[in-house]
Each structure stands twice: as C-alpha cells, then as structure tokens.
Amino acid sequence: MAAGEAVVVGVRVRPFNDRENNLNAVVCIDMEGPTTRIRNIDTGDEKTFTFDESFWSHDGFEDDGTGYLRPLPNSKYADQRYVFDTFGQRVLDNAWNGFHCCLFAYGQTGAGKSYSMVGYGNNKGIVPISCEEIFRRIGQEKDPQKRYEVTVSMIEIYNEAIQDLLIDVELRPKKGLEVRESKALGIYIDGVIKRPVESYEAIETTIEEATNHRTVGSTLMNATSSRAHTVQIIEFKAVKDGSATVSMINLVDLAGSEKAGQTGATGDRLKEGSMINKSLSALGNVIEKLADRGSEKKKNVLIPYRDSKLTRLLQNALGGSSKTIMICALSPASSNHEETLSTLRYADRAKKIKNIAVPNENPQERLMRELREENEKFKKIFEAMQGGTMPSADEIKEMGLAQQEIAAMEGALAELNKSWEDKVAESREQQEAARMRRSSVNGVAALKKNLQPMMVNLNEDKTLVGRVRFSFPPGRTLIGGLGDESDSDSESGSESDSDSSTGSQPEGEKSPEEMFEDEDESPHIELGEGVARRHAVVFHDNDQNLCTIYAASEEGLKQTFVNGKSLRQLLKSQGLEEVICRQKDKPEAAGIELSHADTLVFGRHFFVFVDHMVCAPEILIASGQVDYAQAKREWQMEQLSGVHESLIVATRGGVLGVSHVMELAEKDEIIESQKAEIAELKQQMVTMKAELDRYKKMAGGRLAAGANMLGELYADELLESQMDEISKDIQKTFKDAIDQMNDVQAIFSKKALREGHLTWRSVT
C-alpha cells in the first residue's frame, strides 16, 4: 500500500487593519522561515509552531505605483505572487500530473482569508492567478495531439444549504443541492452546473457572475457581509490519443469563525450564528479525527464527514485521494491572541493528516468498467429469481441503490461522450437563454430600479462595497431585520402611541394605524442582526424626487443614524416632534430628508444614500467621497461627543439631575455596543498606564486620585470615551483638567451609587 502524503499547511499574517491601528495594537506574532511564534503580551508566555510555510505579510512592503504591494529590499514580506508561487503553483503542478487537489483558507473573521484567495485590485489572489496560469500553460503546450478542456463550477454553503451560484436566485431549489457519493464518481454535487470555458476572460466573467449571485443570495440573511463558504471547482481534463485524465481542483474560501460574545448576538440572532458556525465546528472535528488516524496511534477512527455539508463535500480533499493544501490566515494583534492561537492549533492538527493520492485513470474507461460490474450483479440476481429464489429485503434495497448508481454513471458517461465543441455550444445557448429570460422578465423592472434612489452598502472589506443595493420605489419602504416583534414594540408605550396617532378612538375600536400594525408585514428591505423587525420607514415622493426617513419603532428611533446622528438626535436638534411611523401613509409630522451621499446606519449595517439624479453609485464610491472607515468614524465620534455634551451640561449646573441621568442611561447602550472594541483595549493597558502616570506627575495628587478612581470604576468607558478629552484639557490648563476629572468622577460615582457599588465621595 502506498505511503500517505501529509496535508501541506501554511500560515500567513496580515498587516494591522484600521481598527487595530486606531487602538495602537501590539504585534504578538513573529515568523522566521517555516517557524511561527505567538506571545501572550500579558503573561509573556510564548508558543512555537512549525509549518511547511510561514508567510510574513505584516510589514516590510511598499506600493509599486500601480497599487501592487511589493516587498522592500531585504524584507521578509511575502507578497501575493510569492504566496502563489509557493502554494498555487503546487496545486497546478498536481493537477497537470493527473491528481485531484484542493486548497482551502481558514481563519477568524477579518484575518485575511479572502485577500489570499481572491485578492484586491492589482493584488490578485491565488484563485485569479491560478486561472490565468491554467490558460498560460495550455497556450504553451507544444504537442498537437494533446488538448485540454476546462469547466468551472461555483457553489456556496450557507446555513447548511448548498446553492449553485451560476443559477439565478429565483430559480434555485429552496433546499439547495445534494451531495451524493458514487463508487465511480466519488463525492459529487447532484445537479451543479459545469460551465465550459475557453479562456481566462471566460473564467473571469463566470466568477463575476457567481459573485454577484452570491452577494444577492447572502443578503437575504445578512446585509453587508457574506458569511458563506465558497467553493470554486475547476475540472481540468487532458485528452490525448483517445485517452483522458480528469483532475478536480477545489479552491475553498471558508467563512470566518466568530465569537458570539464579540458579535453581541442573542436570542434568534445567536441561534442563527450557531447554525453558521456549525460546519466550521464539524470541520474541526474531522481534522482532529484525521490527525489521530494519521498519528498511527489510532487506526480505527470513525470520521464524522456527514455532520455537515462542508465536510461531506471536502471528504475526498481531507481524507481521500487528493493532494491538499491549507493556508491559515492570522491576525497580528495581541487583542486577537486567543483566536490566533486557536487557528495555529487548528493548522498544527491539520498537518498531521495523511492522504494517499493516486493519478486518476481515464474516466470513460472507469465508468464502463463500473457499469459492467453492476450489470453482472443484476444478471446474477435475475438468474436466481428465474430459479425460484426471491431476493431478500437487503438485496432489494441494494438493487434500488444500484439503479441510482447506474443512472448517475450513465448520465456522467453521456456527458463525457459529448464533444467539447457541443459542450461549449450548449453552454452558450443556456447562457443566452438565461440572459433573454432575465431581460424579458426583469428588464423593465431593473431599468426602473436603477433610476430610483437607493442605498448602497459600505463594508470594511472593499471587495464587498457596493455589492448590496436597495432601491426606494415611489411610496413606502419598510426596513427591518431579524429582531423579534418585541424589539420593534418595546419601550413604545403611551408616549410613542401619542406620537403616532391623533385623536381618541371609541373603546373596542382600533385606529387605522393600529390595524395596520397588527398585520404580519414582512420588511421590504430585510437586514441582518441588530435591526428590529420594524426598524425604519422611507417615503419616496417621486414628483419631488425626495426621500424622507422615519423611525418605525422605539428601537429604530435610537438605532437609525443619518451621518452619524440618530433620528432622535436629529429631530431634537431641528426642534421637530418625535414620531414613530406605523401607518401606510406618510405622517403629517416632519421626518428627516435624505440627501445624496448621506451615510445611513441601521443597527450596525452601514450604507450610503445615492440619488440617481446626481450620479450612479459606482461613481460615488470611486470618487472616495464616502467609505466605510470614514462613515464609522463619523458615527462613533457623534456618539462619543453626545456622551461628552451630556457630561458638560450636567456638571455646569452643579447638580446631576434625573433628566441627565436618564440621558446618560440612554448613552449606556452605545457604550455597551462597543464592548468588543473596548475589551481589546485591555490588552493595551500597559501603554495607557504610562500615559496615566504622566498625568499624575503633571497634575499632582488631586488629579492622580481622580484618575485612579476613574480607572478603577470605569476603566473601559474612560479609555474609550474620555481619554482624548482629558488629554486635550490638560494641555490647555492643569486647573481645567482637574475640574473636568472631578466632574466626571462625580457623575460616574453617583451612577455607581445608584447601582449600589460604592458610597458617594468627591475627589476634593
């Protein structure tokens, strides 16, 4: 028996992202050759791992003028080309030699998986470079008797449903496609489209089409980021003298692993997150079991491939006759130490997996042999039946399975017997028919939709910016999410009712607004977690080309933001009445009018409003007038400045009134929502303590006491929302700084007193 070949494993660390730079993150990763070290900044503990490759892509690079990031002289920076030459070329070499092969990327959300696999701009990833390289090699083939055939499929796995991304969303089966297993065909997806491609441009067009379908499909659950596993399957066939070898290349971009605590998911949203992570957990279990089997300590290990669609699909890649490569993406930030260490352990287990890969034989010859064997089995059963022996229940069941097997093999054989020219022509006819169908059914609607005002998504991942578009047709558009009905109606008692209705109703009767609210209406625009079921309403006056936004619930009033300010803040600043719109018709009370390039935030979903009369969304995004980082900074600064203003108003009066306490309590939600970011600051406490020490020396004992007390009571809130303000005040005047610290300490101490944490006392 041939010796097993270990899975090739590499890890890659990315640069700090904007969020980590703003937090003054500390590097906890170091790499030298194939060795990766990770250090716990708090304890000083260090762990060392060795892989086939450790790609250092954190620093040591420059822009070559075209947007491509290249290494500086004498730098260990691994650019996109180096990663492809190390791993991507190996995948293609294996395919050219007749082996099945698989490359998949794993890592926590935002660790850089998609950058390595797909890339961005001129920094192309492994997938597009591999596609280019395939046709470059085909073009260099000098044997006139040898020809190559390439087909492409693209699927995604979301919530345990496999969807073909080359099928229009409205035509897909609701439950998705099924993964099946055949003795002759191995593991395959029943009914998946295999599109013939004759050039890199054809592959590029196919991938773009699939990506657009993926975005539309994923937004049914999440508005701004696709959290589905994506698999690109390239079937590579080499034909010479009537004989052929077929290699399957699987390029897998796994969804990012997440912690429920970091997303703040609860209730239904937590349940949805659990479903999304199910396949990743199953993959971890499979890798662990395969590692046990590969270590030769345990041979008879049951591998739970059937626990998820992902592991079932990757069964051949992980434990079969495939040459497999795994690249794990790492965050360099100490704040992500736990997740990064988990990823390294994951990769360390994966490198213990061993597969036995053999070159693939002629698929036609194999199918013919398998069909003959199945026919022989049926012949023996029929001969026994003619002799008076009836088959058993198990034999009948086996016959049924054998018939399915034969049908699958006959279909595959018929496909193989088609000429390449017939396959290409048939594919073109299908694409043209689909295009005509979309044009005839959706053409007019699409034209109208593009001429309507819309909101377009903003995302930290620039490849996803502008992918999600929601238009506002004339009339009313309800925006909602995955929240329960209680999210929409909570805290909307008599005050909200008085805002949204006029006059009194006879007892037992309902107003038109109340009757409408009772209807189980689904949102016209459905976003993801963090958004109430009825969140906001947009009214589009087509005659005036004017869009006005209202809150549809108390939650929407607080968690709908225009240019960083909540609807409640905007209405208050403009002296307008708070109104919660539950009726079909536009309220008489004024709402907030939207202008071109306004940023919109619903919960934590970021968009930009686009007026088609001004310019198209592509032009607005390309202009750089708006982007995700700018919108998020604007949103955060408005919230933090709101907290600071509340503190100043309360302290200038000398008394912390009930109204101020209530206003601060409302701001607590903002502070709580940023717990994930604030928690990361705990890793930076060493640096921040040095800053506090400097304050102590400059301002004396009184300031030191105030700083220490605030650090003990509300270190998280202080670091996030007050440090910049205090620092500025100290530079202006020491006395003002001391007064500011006393005021802040008094407010927080009184709040703590109200919660029963401590007794009231002042710094002075």
Side-chain angles (χ1 to χ4, degrees):
M1 183 176 179
E5 180 178 339
V7 170
V8 177
V9 179
V11 295
R12 188 181 191 188
V13 61
R14 60 160 171 77
F16 286 135
N17 57 29
D18 291 340
R19 182 161 168 264
E20 291 162 346
N21 279 325
N22 292 337
L23 295 174
N24 297 318
V26 177
V27 177
C28 67
I29 290 283
D30 189 27
M31 292 178 174
E32 194 64 44
T35 301
T36 295
R37 299 181 188 85
I38 181 170
R39 183 167 59 92
N40 188 316
I41 301 300
D42 292 332
T43 65
D45 293 341
E46 185 174 284
K47 296 186 182 297
T48 301
F49 299 86
T50 301
F51 303 102
D52 295 279
E53 287 288 340
S54 291
F55 300 104
W56 179 264
S57 299
H58 176 66
D59 56 15
F61 59 88
E62 64 178 359
D63 190 327
D64 69 352
T66 67
Y68 183 78
L69 304 180
R70 65 186 179 190
L72 292 169
N74 302 318
S75 168
K76 60 180 180 180
Y77 177 76
D79 61 359
Q80 293 286 70
R81 188 71 209 186
Y82 179 80
V83 174
F84 171 78
D85 290 342
T86 306
F87 275 178
Q89 289 282 16
R90 190 180 302 192
V91 170
L92 296 184
D93 291 341
N94 292 334
W96 240 259
N97 291 327
F99 294 97
H100 291 322
C101 43
C102 176
L103 186 147
F104 66 98
Y106 175 84
Q108 73 176 111
T109 297
K113 301 178 301 300
S114 294
Y115 182 77
S116 292
M117 294 297 289
V118 180
Y120 178 73
N122 283 341
N123 296 279
K124 294 181 178 179
I126 292 174
V127 172
I129 297 178
S130 296
C131 294
E132 283 182 321
E133 185 68 13
I134 285 173
F135 286 101
R136 188 190 67 80
R137 291 191 182 192
I138 290 175
Q140 292 179 344
E141 179 59 57
K142 297 180 180 179
D143 187 347
Q145 302 300 319
K146 197 169 188 177
R147 60 184 177 86
Y148 299 93
E149 299 175 3
V150 181
T151 63
V152 176
S153 302
M154 251 186 118
I155 61 100
E156 75 171 4
I157 305 173
Y158 185 84
N159 267 356
E160 286 300 285
I162 297 178
Q163 296 292 357
D164 191 333
L165 295 177
L166 296 181
I167 299 178
D168 290 345
V169 178
E170 63 273 11
L171 299 179
R172 295 176 186 170
K174 291 183 178 179
K175 295 184 178 180
L177 305 178
E178 291 297 326
V179 179
R180 303 194 185 280
E181 184 174 7
S182 164
K183 294 178 182 178
L185 303 176
I187 305 294
Y188 68 98
I189 304 173
D190 190 16
V192 70
I193 291 178
K194 297 180 179 180
R195 180 170 294 176
V197 288
E198 297 180 291
S199 65
Y200 169 69
E201 289 73 23
I203 284 190
E204 193 173 36
T205 300
T206 300
I207 293 175
E208 180 66 23
E209 175 187 342
T211 301
N212 290 336
H213 286 169
R214 176 191 183 189
T215 302
V216 172
S218 66
T219 56
L220 297 177
M221 289 295 179
N222 190 307
T224 57
S225 67
S226 178
R227 294 159 70 187
H229 312 298
T230 305
V231 184
Q232 180 181 350
I233 306 168
I234 301 175
E235 186 175 296
F236 178 75
K237 183 178 180 181
V239 182
K240 183 177 181 180
D241 299 330
S243 180
T245 58
V246 176
S247 300
M248 305 296 293
I249 306 173
N250 291 283
L251 302 173
V252 187
D253 186 5
L254 296 177
S257 58
E258 289 184 348
K259 278 189 172 182
Q262 290 181 338
T263 62
T266 58
D268 291 340
R269 291 180 284 277
L270 180 60
K271 182 178 179 181
E272 180 207 5
S274 298
M275 282 296 296
I276 292 172
N277 286 327
K278 176 185 175 182
S279 55
L280 288 175
S281 299
L283 180 61
N285 292 335
V286 167
I287 288 177
E288 184 175 359
K289 297 294 184 183
L290 288 170
D292 290 342
R293 190 176 69 180
S295 64
E296 299 184 357
K297 294 179 181 179
K298 300 178 182 178
K299 287 299 181 183
N300 299 320
V301 179
L302 178 63
I303 312 299
Y305 292 117
R306 295 180 181 270
D307 283 359
S308 78
K309 296 289 180 65
L310 176 66
T311 51
R312 189 80 170 116
L313 187 60
L314 294 179
Q315 179 174 340
N316 190 58
L318 293 171
S321 61
S322 174
K323 289 181 176 285
T324 301
I325 298 174
M326 176 180 181
I327 182 167
C328 292
L330 309 175
S331 164
S334 55
S335 54
N336 292 322
H337 173 272
E338 185 178 342
E339 291 80 5
T340 301
L341 180 59
S342 175
T343 301
L344 288 169
R345 287 171 173 162
Y346 205 98
D348 195 53
R349 288 196 300 270
K351 72 179 185 180
K352 298 175 184 177
I353 300 173
K354 293 185 179 180
N355 289 339
I356 300 175
V358 295
N360 298 296
E361 61 178 307
N362 188 317
Q364 289 173 306
E365 295 175 359
R366 185 183 70 252
L367 286 172
M368 292 296 293
R369 185 182 70 250
E370 294 284 349
L371 282 171
R372 283 194 295 268
E373 291 176 359
E374 293 297 331
N375 284 333
E376 286 297 322
K377 290 180 182 179
F378 275 117
K379 188 182 295 183
K380 291 179 181 179
I381 293 175
F382 288 139
E383 289 175 354
M385 291 175 63
Q386 290 175 353
T389 304
M390 296 303 296
S392 64
D394 289 339
E395 288 176 329
I396 293 175
K397 182 179 179 181
E398 186 178 347
M399 288 174 62
L401 294 175
Q403 286 179 328
Q404 294 179 9
E405 181 86 7
I406 289 174
M409 287 190 291
E410 287 177 342
L413 188 60
E415 187 68 22
L416 285 171
N417 286 331
K418 288 182 183 178
S419 69
W420 175 248
E421 291 73 17
D422 289 343
K423 291 180 183 179
V424 172
E426 184 178 319
S427 176
R428 287 174 178 169
E429 289 177 4
Q430 292 172 351
Q431 292 179 65
E432 181 63 21
R435 188 188 66 79
M436 293 296 293
R437 181 177 62 252
R438 288 193 294 268
S439 298
S440 60
V441 175
N442 302 323
V444 175
L447 180 60
K448 290 182 178 179
K449 185 175 180 180
N450 288 333
L451 293 178
Q452 294 169 353
M454 65 180 68
M455 63 179 188
V456 178
N457 78 300
L458 300 174
N459 195 278
E460 186 175 11
D461 184 349
K462 294 182 180 180
T463 61
L464 293 177
V465 173
R467 292 291 187 182
V468 181
R469 303 181 182 190
F470 295 116
S471 62
F472 297 118
R476 173 181 177 275
T477 300
L478 175 62
I479 300 171
L482 299 175
D484 299 329
E485 292 300 321
S486 58
D487 294 335
S488 301
D489 299 331
S490 62
E491 304 177 39
S492 57
S494 58
E495 181 180 352
S496 297
D497 292 340
S498 64
D499 290 337
S500 60
S501 61
T502 58
S504 61
Q505 296 293 325
E507 186 176 354
E509 295 185 16
K510 295 182 178 181
S511 68
E513 291 83 0
E514 290 173 324
M515 292 177 64
F516 182 70
E517 183 182 1
D518 285 343
E519 297 178 10
D520 186 17
E521 182 189 25
S522 297
H524 304 105
I525 297 176
E526 190 171 39
L527 306 180
E529 59 187 31
V531 179
R533 188 61 178 168
R534 289 190 295 271
H535 197 90
V537 177
V538 173
F539 287 94
H540 174 204
D541 186 336
N542 195 40
D543 294 334
Q544 299 184 35
N545 189 37
L546 179 65
C547 285
T548 309
I549 189 169
Y550 295 85
S553 63
E554 180 71 19
E555 186 72 11
L557 199 60
K558 296 183 295 183
Q559 294 297 322
T560 302
F561 304 90
V562 180
N563 295 326
K565 293 186 177 181
S566 69
L567 292 183
R568 171 166 286 164
Q569 288 175 298
L570 289 169
L571 292 170
K572 183 178 179 180
S573 65
Q574 297 179 22
L576 300 175
E577 177 188 7
E578 285 189 9
V579 58
I580 296 178
C581 177
R582 295 188 176 92
Q583 65 266 30
K584 287 185 178 180
D585 297 329
K586 184 177 179 180
E588 293 183 3
I592 301 302
E593 296 180 359
L594 299 178
S595 301
H596 182 69
D598 280 348
T599 57
L600 300 172
V601 184
F602 303 94
R604 297 297 179 268
H605 302 266
F606 286 76
F607 294 87
V608 59
F609 179 76
V610 179
D611 184 350
H612 66 285
M613 300 295 290
V614 179
C615 71
E618 293 84 1
I619 297 176
L620 176 62
I621 294 170
S623 70
Q625 185 177 346
V626 292
D627 60 29
Y628 175 81
Q630 173 190 334
K632 188 172 183 180
R633 282 195 301 270
E634 180 182 58
W635 173 77
Q636 288 177 328
M637 290 304 297
E638 287 293 342
Q639 310 323 305
L640 297 178
S641 65
V643 175
H644 185 253
E645 288 172 7
S646 298
L647 294 174
I648 297 301
V649 169
T651 54
R652 280 179 179 171
V655 178
L656 185 63
V658 175
S659 61
H660 296 127
V661 173
M662 294 301 295
E663 189 173 356
L664 287 174
E666 292 175 3
K667 297 300 181 181
D668 282 347
E669 290 194 9
I670 299 168
I671 297 172
E672 290 297 325
S673 69
Q674 295 175 347
K675 281 292 187 182
E677 295 185 9
I678 296 172
E680 294 181 2
L681 279 171
K682 291 179 180 179
Q683 301 290 335
Q684 318 303 327
M685 285 297 292
V686 174
T687 304
M688 302 308 294
K689 285 179 181 178
E691 185 74 5
L692 287 174
D693 289 340
R694 185 168 67 86
Y695 296 157
K696 294 175 186 178
K697 294 178 181 179
M698 294 173 62
R702 292 175 64 196
L703 179 58
N708 282 329
M709 180 166 292
L710 282 172
E712 294 169 3
L713 292 176
Y714 291 95
D716 291 345
E717 289 85 349
L718 172 64
L719 291 175
E720 180 67 18
S721 65
Q722 293 297 314
M723 188 60 70
D724 288 342
E725 295 296 331
I726 293 172
S727 179
K728 291 176 183 177
D729 288 339
I730 288 175
Q731 293 176 7
K732 181 181 178 182
T733 165
F734 294 145
K735 184 179 182 301
D736 288 346
I738 294 172
D739 292 341
Q740 176 79 357
M741 295 291 284
N742 280 325
D743 290 340
V744 174
Q745 185 269 334
I747 293 168
F748 282 133
S749 295
K750 189 167 184 179
K751 179 183 173 186
L753 178 64
R754 176 165 52 87
E755 297 172 352
H757 293 312
L758 57 110
T759 58
W760 175 265
R761 58 196 178 101
S762 174
V763 173
T764 54

